[in-house]
Amino acid sequence: MTNLGTHYAAHVAQLQQRTKQVLKRENLDGLVIHSGQEIKVFLDDYGYPFKANPHFKHWLPLTNITNSWLLVNGEDKPTLIYYQPVDFWHKVNPLPISYWNEFFDIKILTVASEVEKLLPYDKKGFAYLGEHVEVAKALGFSAVNPEPVLSYLHYHRAYKSAYEFECMRQSNQLAVKAHLAAKAVFMAGMSEFDIQQTYLKTLSYSENDTPYGNIVALNENCSILHYMVLERNKPSDPRSFLIDAGANFHGYAADITRTYAFKQNKFAELIARMDQLQLNAIDGLRPGKSYVDLHIETYAEIGQVLQEFDLINVDANIAVETGIVSTFFPHGLGHHLGLQTHDVGGFMADERGTHINPPAAHGFLRTSRVIEANQVFTIEPGLYFIDSLLAKLKDSPQASMINWQNVDQMRPFGGIRIEDNIIVHQANNENMTREAGL
Ligand code: GLY
Ligand code: MN
Ligand code: MN
């Protein structure tokens, strides 16, 4: 914690600076940032799990407080309007006493609808940032999530502060602890559901506390990229285990994947080779390089892996040129990571938000931006045996380039993904996931 406190002042100073810049550019007086409010299920009086506005939790580690507001203008001490109702139906969160308190002028709001009294009287010159457009309009804001303001903030969010690095190291440490516990119960033959319970229990998490829905897949299910089912029965023949699961710390996500083989076999060898490939990709993450180029280089190395493992009977180059590799690696190499698992700003070439699409052949890639120091990425190459994609390939002119018998041997294992979280520093990369012991 002390480390966090040390870096926090500089973090806030940086946000103040960015706010000042964007307000000046857009001719505004201030930003009014809404944490959000509970969203009710249609025709029901129960709400969905609350997720705070990322622009709100960028400033301070309050991730579960509804109806709260930040007023910032880049010059004055920011105001925090903290919602603390008198409510005998729900647990009320008192204001936490923490290192960040002194950076805000804190006002307590007891009745959500009375926030108006604490907001600027004249809304002209103030932009509302948040999800509830109808609330903003009712309060009299005419500038609601102005696109130039969001673009500026999203572009700069890719550059993380030392405070944010520390938060993400912590979220990685949490996730790694749970990954290790999950691996142990896979090796004990447990079901997907029990592995998930072990993961959550290790972190004292409920399902809503993870940054994204965990993927916990055994055997063939490892081939389903967003597998969300949790099979309750133990596998009769455990072969493989893919777990894509994260953790949160102060609103910052970890996003980590591992794949394990139950026995030492060909699939285990393929995992070891993919691990090497993933480390090669991480090594290629360098300031000044385009993430698109790194993806394309890794794509080519997957072609080599297909050749080395006799999954194809043509040269790796042919597998790349014909696009066969996409059958086995149908997603992007990774993405920006931070307040959101798929963090914003990945397609922006500049602070105006000029959008750059990834090349058409790699349309699923989530960033087209040049890699720079202080950015945080996932690197997550995969190699899968996906029935629907293999069926399409079998029906194509390239079908004869595949050693189907070897491919069929791998189908029962589903596939492999290995995902780490990396800080790009000027002089080196910091693999937070491996340094946390995974
Ligand atoms: N867990 C989502 C992803 O890896 O992008
Ligand atoms: Mn992931
Ligand atoms: Mn990811």
Side-chain angles (χ1 to χ4, degrees):
M1 281 304 159
T2 44
N3 230 353
L4 281 175
T6 320
H7 293 309
Y8 186 69
H11 176 70
V12 172
Q14 189 183 61
L15 294 183
Q16 288 278 72
Q17 187 58 28
R18 287 180 194 167
T19 304
K20 199 161 126 182
Q21 290 283 336
V22 75
L23 292 178
K24 186 162 165 235
R25 199 186 70 175
E26 298 305 318
N27 219 352
L28 288 164
D29 300 323
L31 302 177
V32 178
I33 308 172
H34 188 193
S35 71
Q37 57 191 43
E38 190 189 52
I39 297 173
K40 294 274 196 281
V41 174
F42 183 51
L43 299 180
D44 208 331
D45 57 356
Y46 284 100
Y48 294 104
F50 175 73
K51 305 282 173 187
N53 175 359
H55 290 283
F56 183 87
K57 61 179 186 159
H58 202 184
W59 284 86
L60 77 190
L62 289 178
T63 57
N64 59 356
I65 303 297
T66 56
N67 301 303
S68 296
W69 303 74
L70 282 168
L71 313 183
V72 294
N73 67 11
E75 307 255 9
D76 302 321
K77 193 176 196 177
T79 297
L80 167 65
I81 300 173
Y82 186 89
Y83 180 54
Q84 192 177 346
V86 179
D87 180 348
F88 64 91
W89 293 100
H90 303 101
K91 164 111 174 78
V92 174
N93 297 302
L95 181 78
I97 303 305
S98 191
Y99 60 85
W100 54 265
N101 293 173
E102 64 180 282
F103 294 88
F104 297 87
D105 180 10
I106 301 174
K107 297 179 176 164
I108 302 292
L109 174 69
T110 51
V111 180
S113 58
E114 290 179 5
V115 69
E116 205 167 353
K117 295 177 193 161
L118 300 173
L119 296 179
Y121 177 73
D122 185 359
K123 307 292 186 300
K124 203 160 66 63
F126 289 86
Y128 170 94
L129 299 188
E131 188 177 0
H132 300 274
V133 174
E134 69 298 345
V135 172
K137 297 277 184 204
L139 285 168
F141 288 96
S142 51
V144 177
N145 298 318
E147 207 267 328
V149 173
L150 288 187
S151 291
Y152 180 95
L153 296 176
H154 289 177
Y155 176 80
H156 287 284
R157 241 171 70 185
Y159 308 102
K160 269 70 178 180
S161 66
Y163 166 79
E164 294 179 292
F165 293 159
E166 196 50 36
C167 290
M168 294 173 84
R169 288 181 192 117
Q170 301 268 358
S171 60
N172 265 263
Q173 282 169 21
L174 291 169
V176 165
K177 198 168 94 168
H179 267 262
L180 293 173
K183 178 189 178 187
V185 291
F186 161 65
M187 286 301 183
M190 302 285 257
S191 70
E192 292 169 352
F193 183 80
D194 286 333
I195 297 171
Q196 163 81 333
Q197 296 309 312
T198 300
Y199 188 94
L200 296 175
K201 187 155 196 295
T202 304
L203 296 173
S204 296
Y205 271 11
S206 79
E207 209 160 40
N208 294 329
D209 295 323
T210 58
Y212 57 90
N214 286 355
I215 296 169
V216 177
L218 298 180
N219 298 344
E220 290 87 347
N221 297 337
C222 300
S223 74
I224 301 170
L225 296 180
H226 284 171
Y227 178 74
M228 286 291 155
V229 179
L230 292 166
E231 174 60 52
R232 264 56 172 180
N233 295 319
K234 287 184 183 183
S236 56
D237 175 22
R239 294 180 291 273
S240 56
F241 171 38
L242 186 154
I243 174 165
D244 184 344
N248 269 315
F249 185 84
H250 282 19
Y252 287 85
D255 175 12
I256 299 173
T257 310
R258 284 294 180 272
T259 310
Y260 303 103
F262 196 72
K263 293 185 183 145
Q264 191 51 48
N265 51 22
K266 195 81 186 163
F267 183 71
E269 287 171 31
L270 191 55
I271 293 176
R273 179 63 182 89
M274 285 299 289
D275 193 58
Q276 188 54 52
L277 172 142
Q278 193 248 14
L279 291 173
N280 293 343
I282 292 170
D283 205 39
L285 200 55
R286 302 264 167 99
K289 185 174 180 126
S290 154
Y291 199 97
V292 173
D293 292 342
L294 186 60
H295 170 90
I296 290 171
E297 285 165 23
T298 308
Y299 186 91
E301 193 176 338
I302 302 255
Q304 287 167 24
V305 175
L306 295 174
Q307 191 179 7
E308 286 163 27
F309 281 76
D310 277 332
L311 295 163
I312 53 176
N313 54 41
V314 290
D315 192 77
N317 291 332
I318 309 282
V320 171
E321 283 161 23
T322 54
I324 288 175
V325 172
S326 298
T327 298
F328 299 91
F329 176 36
H331 61 71
L333 180 60
H335 49 85
H336 289 258
L337 179 71
L339 289 161
Q340 292 167 254
T341 303
H342 297 149
D343 216 12
V344 290
F347 299 108
M348 291 182 176
D350 55 39
E351 62 186 28
R352 289 165 179 246
T354 306
H355 187 98
I356 307 213
N357 279 325
H362 302 282
F364 293 119
L365 191 52
R366 288 181 189 273
T367 177
S368 55
R369 195 161 159 172
V370 173
I371 299 157
E372 291 175 77
N374 299 327
Q375 296 181 342
V376 179
F377 294 96
T378 70
I379 293 281
E380 50 180 305
L383 199 168
Y384 313 86
F385 303 92
I386 302 171
D387 285 338
S388 61
L389 296 183
L390 289 170
K392 217 165 123 195
L393 184 59
K394 208 165 200 165
D395 212 22
S396 78
Q398 283 80 40
S400 63
M401 299 177 179
I402 307 298
N403 290 331
W404 288 104
Q405 208 178 348
N406 294 345
V407 166
D408 290 343
Q409 265 177 16
M410 287 292 123
R411 285 187 208 249
F413 299 92
I416 299 168
R417 180 165 65 257
I418 301 171
E419 176 175 28
D420 288 343
N421 303 165
I422 319 292
I423 304 174
V424 178
H425 298 291
Q426 193 57 49
N428 66 296
N429 288 341
E430 178 181 341
N431 187 328
M432 294 182 282
T433 311
R434 300 215 182 207
E435 287 180 21
L438 195 62

